[in-house]
Amino acid sequence: LHDEAQKSRVLDTRPKLIRAPQLHLLPEWEMYAPEKFRRKLRVPPVVFDRLVACLEPHPIFYNNSHNPQLPVAIQLAIFLNGVGHYGNAATTEDLAE
């Protein structure tokens, strides 16, 4: 039994899977699958668009650095995804993605 366990044991570690936030899919989901958009960001597309429109003119989203900030829509999407999927708010579907 010991020999069988030694033969079947995994000796090499597997590389970690890359987890992508799927931000590149949001425009498509906004148009064709608003239920996925809402599940990801916890707001309907129309509310997200209004929030972006309200936030875009704020000076905090602009700097005089050589390192430009991400667009407001991307920053907001990252924030909403983070606060909407913290702890027990995450569904099994979200974890699988």
Side-chain angles (χ1 to χ4, degrees), residues 47-93:
V47 171
F48 179 80
D49 291 340
R50 286 184 188 160
L51 284 171
V52 169
C54 289
L55 293 172
E56 274 183 326
H58 197 282
I60 199 157
F61 292 104
Y62 302 95
N63 61 31
N64 294 325
S65 170
H66 294 295
N67 299 320
Q69 292 189 19
L70 291 172
V72 175
I74 298 295
Q75 292 185 54
L76 180 61
I78 291 169
F79 171 75
L80 291 174
N81 182 57
V83 297
H85 293 85
Y86 177 76
N88 64 358
T91 66
T92 54
E93 290 173 342

Side-chain angles (χ1 to χ4, degrees), residues 32-54:
Y32 305 110
E35 69 284 350
K36 284 186 179 184
F37 185 97
R38 189 175 191 288
R39 191 179 79 224
K40 193 71 170 171
L41 301 184
R42 301 290 198 242
V43 294
V46 66
V47 171
F48 179 80
D49 291 340
R50 286 184 188 160
L51 284 171
V52 169
C54 289

